């Protein structure tokens, strides 16, 4: 049997032929214990024989004596009673805690005496709830009325006038469940009896519905009821725990997580098809460690919630380390490498192969003791975006690109400044009076670019080369080339081609003549131009020079305005550049992961930095400020020169913090209530952070050492435990804890008690459904006794008063 709470199959409503004594023709067929055992062996783990208003003591005695192995279906004493409330009656099962045969005989005798005392016919037996409590007050028992739609159902009784108070009392103050055979019966109950309850108690998801066979012919098991009218097989009901009474009690206290249909179990098993199955710890004693293991032990883990408890320095965190250090992707450290090599961790795999644990890092959460709060103290939240890493990397690159854009913008701005700075000091913009008087556009000179004209002429050497090549081809074709002239058509083509070559040679001769004439014409024009220039009088030369000076000034001014326009454009881009940058990832419907660069040094814009931190100026825009710098109306702070080199250095130093932040933006969480992680305490952020980690659907393995550290008790009781219960059937969870609420309210499947006896460490698996183990939990965890008591009394007088 598994050493942790697992899903077991139960059927607490099976009849024997003894029911025929109290109900005419109630049982069909022949009943015997051997057939019972054979039918239940592979179908049911825990069952009860519940005859109508009578106990089949002989059958109980035979079964308990012959089938008492741990792996046999376990039998609990039960009875199906007709319960009377005022004038209405309904059927209810009463299931007792484990009893020996003498106690069973005693209960049977007392029951029979009660009916005799009430002077009731054997076929008309009925008891009140007062009778039941009086009869069985020395024993632990559970009441499970019928809830299916028939005359023997509590559904019918609950709708009768005057019965509401009694039934409410039964539901709210006792260990109580409702037996149904169809899902629609639950709906009937909710729409009938449940709607009559005070609104506080309506639609509670902790009212336990449980399904049994009500079998009246063991030979036809697992058919429902009297098989001749209904041959449908009984849908096996599962509860979580061991094959004992305490597991039933826990199931009725916590039905949402401890009672499941077969289809639910299939889904759970599918979600946990891969899980860490076991850990084997060897005999170990070495000087480098301050502890030892004397006996080799093998710990088997639940696919669901596993918790490690124990006193201070008992080895709880050591056990967690022994597991995580053997998972390759975690790279966790253990006290001793030698011990780590000897420990064997086994994974139950969907491939059917058990072996060393190798898990993808993105499927694991591992939080060491106190580590949750440290994330917020260190302001490192990047582990939150494991399943959104690609998007996160894209956003990080966008921030870096934004930094590069800013750098390029600054370089372009300084470059534009340099162009103006250089020409402003080296060029002249003065216009002489004499140039204005002498300069005139009425006379002009002709300027010829002789070299350009000659360069555009066809090269004579090229023509000569082409002529030579064509003549060689012509000579070749005129020879006796018999291979080229195979027929008359070849002769025609060759003669035609020779004619084309002769035509081209004639054209080349004509081009030579034309080139010679063009060259002679250019030489004549050159002579005329030189003569005309030499013939210009002194006044014409003076006008030409004045016009040349005026053109130079105009060109310089035009160039200056163009460069000033470029500087203005880049200055405007600089003024409009928003260095405050933000990107966000939606982690879930309530929380955003935000990457951001906020205001630096109280400056909203780059212009603020330039005008206040780079230059000594009162101007409020970049363009005007730089023009003042060019004209020496202001200077660069702490620099003696106004050159572009000094300006670039100062801008780079001033904006260096912006570049650092863009390359490494701040990470914060933004919550749906409007608050953010940067304005919340580390403890409050740790709670939000843990919500995200536990809600990550891609994560399949969770390891947390003392999650309650730095978390408020209100958060643990209202949110953390609820989240653990919500996800534990979809993920495998390992927790080190000293908080009894996490163990008990979290409904841990596997609990390992760590013990350190004079530095000899041992681990013992325990379960919640064992009374002796409950005492150990209470003695180990502060407040454990209160937690167990409070859980058991989920419906009690104090709760009624609070509501």
């Amino acid at each position: 049997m598994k050493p942790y709470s697992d899903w077991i199959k139960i059927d607490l409503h099976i009849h024997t032929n003894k029911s025929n004594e109290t109900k005419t023709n109630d049982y069909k067929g022949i009943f015997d214990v051997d057939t019972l055992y054979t039918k239940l062996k592979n179908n049911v783990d825990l069952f009860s024989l519940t005859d109508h208003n009578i106990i089949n003591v002989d059958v109980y005695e035979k079964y308990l004596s012959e089938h008492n192995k741990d792996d046999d279906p376990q039998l609990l004493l039960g009875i199906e009673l007709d319960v009377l409330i005022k004038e209405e009656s309904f059927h209810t099962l009463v299931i007792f805690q484990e009893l020996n045969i003498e106690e069973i005989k005693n209960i049977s005798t007392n029951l029979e005496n009660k009916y005799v005392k009430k002077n009731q016919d054997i076929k008309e037996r009925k008891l009140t709830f007062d009778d039941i409590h009086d009869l069985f007050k020395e024993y632990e028992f559970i009441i499970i009325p019928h809830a299916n739609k028939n005359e023997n159902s509590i559904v019918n009784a609950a709708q009768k006038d005057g019965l509401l108070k009694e039934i409410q009392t039964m539901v709210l103050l006792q260990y109580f469940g409702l037996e149904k055979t169809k899902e629609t019966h639950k709906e009937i109950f909710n729409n009938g009896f449940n709607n009559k309850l005070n609104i506080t108690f309506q639609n509670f998801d902790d009212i336990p519905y449980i399904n049994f066979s009500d079998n009246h012919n063991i030979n036809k098991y697992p058919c429902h009821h009297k098989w001749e009218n209904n041959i449908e097989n009984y849908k096996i009901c599962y509860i979580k725990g061991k094959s004992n009474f305490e597991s039933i009690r826990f199931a009725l206290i916590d039905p949402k997580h401890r009672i499941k249909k077969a289809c639910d179990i299939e889904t759970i098993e599918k979600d946990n098809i891969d899980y860490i199955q076991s850990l084997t710890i060897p005999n170990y004693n070495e000087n480098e460690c301050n502890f030892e293991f004397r006996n080799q032990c093998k710990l088997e883990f639940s696919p669901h919630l596993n918790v490690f408890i124990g006193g201070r320095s008992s080895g709880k965190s050591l056990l967690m380390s022994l597991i995580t250090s053997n998972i390759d992707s975690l790279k966790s450290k253990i006290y001793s490498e030698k011990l780590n090599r000897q420990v064997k961790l086994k994974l139950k795999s969907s491939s059917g192969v058990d072996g060393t644990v190798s898990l993808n890092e993105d499927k694991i959460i591992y939080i060491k003791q106190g580590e949750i709060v440290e994330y917020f103290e260190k302001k490192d939240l990047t582990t939150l975006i494991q399943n959104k890493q690609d998007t996160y990397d894209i956003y990080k690159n966008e921030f870096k690109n934004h930094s590069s854009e800013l750098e390029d913008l600054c370089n372009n701005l300084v470059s534009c400044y340099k162009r103006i700075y250089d020409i402003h000091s080296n060029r002249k913009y003065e216009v002489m009076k004499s140039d204005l008087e002498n300069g005139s556009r009425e006379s002009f000179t002709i300027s010829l670019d002789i070299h350009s004209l000659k360069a555009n002429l066809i090269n004579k050497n090229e023509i000569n080369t082409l002529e030579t090549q064509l003549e060689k081809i012509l000579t070749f074709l005129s020879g006796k080339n018999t291979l080229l002239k195979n027929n008359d058509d070849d002769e025609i083509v060759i003669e035609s081609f020779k004619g084309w070559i002769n035509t081209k040679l004639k054209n080349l001769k004509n081009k030579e003549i034309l080139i010679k004439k063009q060259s002679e014409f250019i030489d004549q024009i050159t002579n005329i131009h030189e003569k005309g220039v030499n013939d210009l009088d002194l006044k014409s030369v003076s006008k030409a020079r004045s016009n040349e000076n005026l053109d130079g000034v105009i060109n310089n001014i035009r160039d200056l305005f163009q460069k000033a326009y470029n500087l203005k454009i880049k200055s405007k881009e600089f003024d409009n550049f928003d260095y405050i940058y933000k990107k966000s990832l939606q982690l879930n419907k309530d929380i955003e992961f935000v990457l951001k660069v906020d205001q630096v040094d109280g400056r909203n814009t780059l212009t603020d930095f330039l005008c206040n931190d780079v230059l000594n100026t009162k101007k409020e825009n970049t363009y005007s400020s730089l023009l003042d710098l060019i004209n020496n109306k202001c200077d660069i702070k702490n620099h003696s020169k106004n050159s572009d080199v000094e300006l670039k250095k100062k801008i780079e130093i001033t904006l260096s913090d912006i570049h650092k932040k863009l390359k490494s933006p701040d990470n914060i969480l933004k919550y749906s209530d409007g608050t953010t992680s940067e304005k919340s305490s580390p403890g409050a952020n740790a709670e939000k952070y843990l919500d995200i980690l536990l809600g990550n659907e891609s994560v399949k393995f969770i390891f947390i050492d003392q999650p309650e550290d730095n978390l408020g008790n209100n958060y643990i009781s209202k949110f953390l435990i609820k989240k653990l219960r919500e996800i534990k059937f979809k993920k495998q969870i390992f927790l080190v804890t000293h908080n009894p609420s996490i163990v008990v309210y979290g409904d841990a499947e596997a609990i390992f008690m760590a013990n350190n006896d004079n530095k000899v460490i041992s681990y013992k698996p325990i379960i919640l459904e064992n009374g002796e183990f409950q005492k150990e939990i209470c003695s180990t965890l502060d407040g454990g006794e209160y937690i167990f008591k409070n859980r058991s009394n989920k419906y009690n007088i104090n709760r009624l008063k609070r509501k």
Side-chain angles (χ1 to χ4, degrees):
M1 295 183 66
K2 295 177 181 176
Y4 54 82
S5 299
D6 198 15
W7 296 102
I8 62 171
K9 297 169 281 188
I10 68 169
D11 189 352
L12 301 180
H13 197 168
I14 298 175
H15 288 267
T16 77
N17 54 359
K18 192 75 171 177
S19 288
N20 284 333
E21 295 181 20
T22 56
K23 303 285 183 180
T24 303
N25 295 324
D26 188 70
Y27 190 83
K28 301 294 184 181
I30 299 172
F31 183 90
D32 68 85
V33 172
D34 291 337
T35 303
L36 171 73
Y37 179 77
T38 302
K39 290 290 186 178
L40 300 187
K41 177 62 178 174
N42 297 315
N43 285 312
V44 175
D45 298 299
L46 182 64
F47 72 103
S48 180
L49 300 173
T50 48
D51 288 310
H52 286 294
N53 305 313
I54 198 167
I55 298 173
N56 195 337
V57 177
D58 293 338
V59 169
Y60 275 96
E61 184 171 17
K62 181 175 176 59
Y63 188 90
L64 293 175
S65 63
E66 295 179 357
H67 305 290
N68 50 22
K69 296 179 182 178
D70 288 342
D71 59 349
D72 286 334
Q74 299 299 300
L75 173 61
L76 295 176
L77 174 63
I79 185 171
E80 182 175 11
L81 297 175
D82 282 60
V83 177
L84 185 66
I85 298 181
K86 294 188 177 179
E87 300 300 323
E88 297 296 329
S89 68
F90 58 90
H91 289 181
T92 186
L93 302 179
V94 179
I95 308 297
F96 293 86
Q97 195 174 34
E98 288 84 356
L99 300 172
N100 60 43
I101 192 61
E102 294 303 320
E103 290 171 319
I104 293 173
K105 289 179 179 178
N106 185 56
I107 289 176
S108 177
T109 299
N110 292 339
L111 179 63
E112 293 299 321
N113 290 339
K114 188 68 174 178
Y115 288 127
V116 171
K117 186 176 180 179
K118 292 175 75 74
N119 196 26
Q120 291 182 346
D121 184 89
I122 193 171
K123 302 289 187 180
E124 297 294 333
R125 292 180 167 183
K126 288 182 175 60
L127 296 176
T128 65
F129 271 111
D130 288 339
D131 292 331
I132 293 172
H133 285 285
D134 183 56
L135 273 170
F136 309 137
K137 60 186 176 184
E138 297 180 11
Y139 304 97
E140 289 282 343
F141 60 89
I142 290 169
I143 295 173
I144 306 177
H146 283 210
N148 43 335
K149 190 180 180 183
N150 58 44
E151 61 181 7
N152 299 316
S153 167
I154 194 176
V155 174
N156 283 336
Q159 298 180 67
K160 303 295 183 179
D161 293 337
L163 298 184
L164 182 59
K165 182 178 179 181
E166 287 80 0
I167 294 176
Q168 279 182 317
T169 302
M170 180 182 68
V171 170
L172 299 176
L173 302 183
Q174 301 182 89
Y175 297 136
F176 171 86
L178 292 173
E179 183 191 358
K180 61 186 178 64
T181 55
K182 294 183 179 179
E183 191 65 29
T184 53
H185 297 152
K186 178 178 177 180
E187 183 179 346
I188 292 170
F189 183 86
N190 288 340
N191 292 334
F193 166 66
N194 195 40
N195 287 344
K196 293 184 179 181
L197 289 174
N198 180 289
I199 191 170
T200 303
F201 291 96
Q202 287 183 12
N203 299 317
F204 264 44
D205 61 4
D206 51 1
I207 292 179
Y209 292 90
I210 197 160
N211 195 32
F212 306 132
S213 69
D214 192 10
N215 179 268
H216 286 242
N217 188 335
I218 197 61
N219 292 284
K220 299 298 182 179
Y221 193 88
C223 287
H224 281 302
H225 199 48
K226 298 179 181 179
W227 62 275
E228 73 273 17
N229 296 322
N230 183 358
I231 61 173
E232 180 184 0
N233 284 344
Y234 151 58
K235 302 299 188 296
I236 290 176
C237 180
Y238 287 79
I239 65 170
K240 185 162 72 72
K242 293 296 179 181
S243 299
N244 58 31
F245 174 86
E246 192 71 359
S247 294
I248 302 173
R249 189 173 71 86
F250 266 64
L252 299 184
I253 291 171
D254 187 6
K256 185 175 181 180
H257 292 89
R258 280 189 168 251
I259 301 177
K260 300 290 182 184
K261 294 178 290 187
C263 58
D264 297 327
I265 299 301
E266 290 174 4
T267 301
I268 290 172
E269 290 177 346
K270 183 179 179 181
D271 288 340
N272 289 90
I273 197 166
D274 295 319
Y275 67 93
I276 297 173
Q277 185 179 22
S278 65
L279 175 75
T280 303
I281 305 173
N283 296 327
Y284 183 78
N285 184 10
E286 192 172 330
N287 293 331
E288 64 179 285
C289 297
N290 198 28
F291 59 84
E292 62 177 293
F293 297 108
R294 275 191 193 159
N295 298 309
Q296 176 173 315
C297 68
K298 182 178 181 180
L299 304 180
E300 292 188 45
F301 301 120
S302 164
H304 312 307
L305 177 58
N306 301 268
V307 296
F308 310 147
I309 64 174
R312 185 181 298 275
S313 300
S314 60
K316 304 185 298 295
S317 295
L318 172 62
L319 180 54
M320 180 73 84
S321 297
L322 288 172
I323 298 171
T324 57
S325 62
N326 280 275
I327 299 174
D328 53 6
S329 56
L330 288 182
K331 299 176 183 178
S332 179
K333 292 183 178 180
I334 191 64
Y335 302 93
S336 165
E337 289 296 333
K338 182 178 178 182
L339 172 60
N340 190 43
R341 288 193 299 270
Q342 294 178 9
V343 167
K344 301 298 181 185
L345 190 65
K346 183 180 286 188
L347 179 72
K348 185 69 174 179
S349 173
S350 56
S351 64
V353 179
D354 300 337
T356 304
V357 177
S358 179
L359 302 173
N360 292 333
E361 189 174 2
D362 59 355
K363 290 187 176 182
I364 304 173
I365 291 171
Y366 179 32
I367 303 175
K368 300 175 185 177
Q369 187 174 352
E371 197 172 33
I372 300 176
V373 173
E374 288 181 10
Y375 288 127
F376 295 93
E377 291 174 344
K378 295 177 181 178
K379 298 183 179 179
D380 179 16
L381 306 177
T382 53
T383 53
L384 285 170
I385 45 84
Q386 289 180 356
N387 61 335
K388 297 179 182 289
Q389 187 65 45
D390 291 345
T391 306
Y392 173 78
D393 291 340
I394 291 172
Y395 285 173
K396 283 291 292 290
N397 285 330
E398 288 185 18
F399 276 86
K400 290 179 181 177
N401 292 338
H402 203 55
S403 174
S404 298
E405 289 174 11
L406 174 58
E407 186 176 2
D408 291 342
L409 178 58
C410 292
N411 289 337
N412 291 334
L413 183 70
V414 172
S415 179
C416 289
Y417 172 84
K418 179 182 186 308
R419 295 188 187 104
I420 298 178
Y421 183 82
D422 289 344
I423 66 174
H424 189 264
S425 56
N426 296 326
R427 293 187 181 181
K428 294 181 179 180
Y429 301 94
E430 297 89 353
V431 178
M432 305 300 292
K433 182 179 180 182
S434 59
D435 290 335
L436 290 173
E437 292 174 348
N438 294 330
S440 171
R441 294 298 177 185
E442 293 176 0
S443 63
F444 57 89
T445 59
I446 297 174
S447 176
L448 292 176
D449 188 348
I450 302 302
H451 295 292
S452 176
L453 286 173
K454 287 189 175 183
N456 289 328
L457 295 177
I458 297 174
N459 192 311
K460 184 178 179 181
N461 291 333
E462 291 180 1
I463 292 177
N464 291 336
T465 300
L466 183 57
E467 284 180 338
T468 301
Q469 292 173 344
L470 291 175
E471 287 172 351
K472 286 181 179 181
I473 294 171
L474 192 61
T475 301
F476 174 77
L477 294 173
S478 299
K480 295 181 179 181
N481 297 299
T482 58
L483 292 176
L484 294 176
K485 303 175 182 178
N486 293 328
N487 52 50
D488 293 341
D489 290 339
D490 289 342
E491 185 72 31
I492 293 171
V493 172
I494 290 172
E495 290 301 320
S496 175
F497 183 51
K498 286 166 62 177
W500 178 83
I501 292 175
N502 286 321
T503 301
K504 290 299 177 183
L505 287 171
K506 184 178 180 180
N507 290 340
L508 289 175
K509 294 291 184 184
N510 292 335
K511 282 186 181 293
E512 282 187 81
I513 296 171
L514 178 62
I515 290 170
K516 182 178 179 181
K517 290 182 178 180
Q518 288 176 339
S519 180
E520 291 174 351
F521 176 75
I522 290 172
D523 290 340
Q524 291 176 2
I525 292 298
T526 301
N527 292 332
I528 294 171
H529 178 263
E530 289 177 352
K531 185 176 182 304
V533 171
N534 291 333
D535 290 344
L536 284 175
D537 57 16
L538 183 61
K539 183 176 181 181
S540 296
V541 172
S542 177
K543 283 185 177 182
R545 288 176 178 172
S546 295
N547 286 334
E548 183 179 348
N549 290 338
L550 289 173
D551 288 343
V553 171
I554 291 171
N555 288 334
N556 285 344
I557 292 173
R558 182 184 292 112
D559 188 43
L560 178 63
F561 271 89
Q562 181 63 49
K563 288 179 170 56
Y565 175 76
N566 293 338
L567 177 63
K568 186 174 183 179
I569 294 297
K570 293 303 174 184
S571 296
K572 190 173 182 179
E573 291 178 8
F574 186 82
D575 291 337
N576 293 336
F577 187 90
D578 189 3
Y579 76 88
I580 299 173
Y581 204 60
K582 185 180 295 185
K583 288 286 182 180
S584 63
L585 289 166
Q586 198 73 38
L587 297 181
N588 59 34
K589 62 183 181 65
D590 297 316
I591 303 178
E592 287 181 60
F593 180 92
V594 179
L595 294 85
K596 66 168 188 169
V597 172
D598 282 336
Q599 185 186 83
V600 177
D601 296 334
R603 309 298 188 195
N604 289 321
T605 65
L606 296 180
T607 312
D608 291 339
F609 285 99
L610 184 82
C611 296
N612 293 287
D613 300 330
V614 176
L615 306 177
N616 288 309
T617 180
K618 294 183 179 179
K619 296 293 176 66
E620 295 182 354
N621 66 75
T622 299
Y623 181 63
S624 299
S625 299
L626 292 179
L627 288 182
D628 282 354
L629 185 64
I630 290 170
N631 292 302
N632 297 315
K633 292 181 179 180
C634 69
D635 55 30
I636 301 171
K637 285 188 176 182
N638 302 320
H639 287 262
S640 58
K641 297 180 180 179
N642 291 348
S643 71
D644 58 287
V645 175
E646 303 300 319
L647 179 62
K648 184 177 181 180
K649 286 182 181 178
K650 187 64 176 179
I651 290 177
E652 286 177 349
I653 292 171
T654 303
L655 301 184
S656 61
D657 284 346
I658 293 179
H659 285 291
K660 287 179 182 177
K661 287 186 175 293
L662 284 171
K663 291 174 182 177
S664 182
D666 292 332
N667 302 323
I668 67 166
L669 300 182
K670 183 179 179 182
Y671 308 126
S672 58
D673 59 6
T675 62
T676 65
S677 60
E678 62 184 345
K679 295 182 180 179
S680 300
S681 69
N685 281 319
E687 295 171 359
K688 299 275 190 178
Y689 172 83
L690 199 54
D691 282 344
I692 297 171
L693 290 182
L694 297 179
N696 188 333
E697 293 184 0
S698 66
V699 168
K700 296 301 179 185
F701 300 90
I702 298 174
F703 305 87
I704 308 179
D705 194 340
Q706 296 188 191
E708 65 269 21
D709 286 1
N710 305 111
L711 300 176
N713 288 330
N714 186 59
Y715 171 80
I716 292 173
S717 61
K718 289 188 176 180
F719 298 101
L720 177 58
I721 292 171
K722 180 180 179 182
K723 179 61 72 172
L724 290 175
R725 288 163 64 88
E726 177 185 316
I727 67 172
K728 68 177 181 175
F729 294 138
K730 299 178 181 178
K731 311 174 190 293
Q732 189 176 27
I733 306 171
F734 294 85
L735 302 180
V736 173
T737 184
H738 51 72
N739 187 300
S741 295
I742 292 176
V743 178
V744 181
Y745 290 151
D747 201 33
E749 280 71 28
I751 305 167
F752 297 89
M753 180 76 73
N755 183 59
N756 188 340
D757 183 9
N758 195 24
K759 299 181 181 179
V760 178
I761 293 178
S762 61
Y763 300 106
K764 180 173 68 173
I766 61 179
I767 55 174
L768 288 173
E769 302 85 32
N770 183 295
E772 292 303 315
F773 289 156
Q774 291 173 12
K775 293 176 183 178
E776 288 192 52
I777 293 172
C778 292
S779 64
T780 302
L781 304 178
D782 292 337
E785 187 173 350
Y786 167 78
I787 296 298
F788 267 111
K789 182 178 179 181
N790 198 47
R791 173 173 178 162
S792 297
N793 297 325
K794 67 168 187 172
Y795 295 126
N796 53 41
I797 296 298
N798 290 330
R799 178 179 176 187
L800 290 174
K801 288 180 178 178
R802 289 198 304 271
K803 296 299 184 182

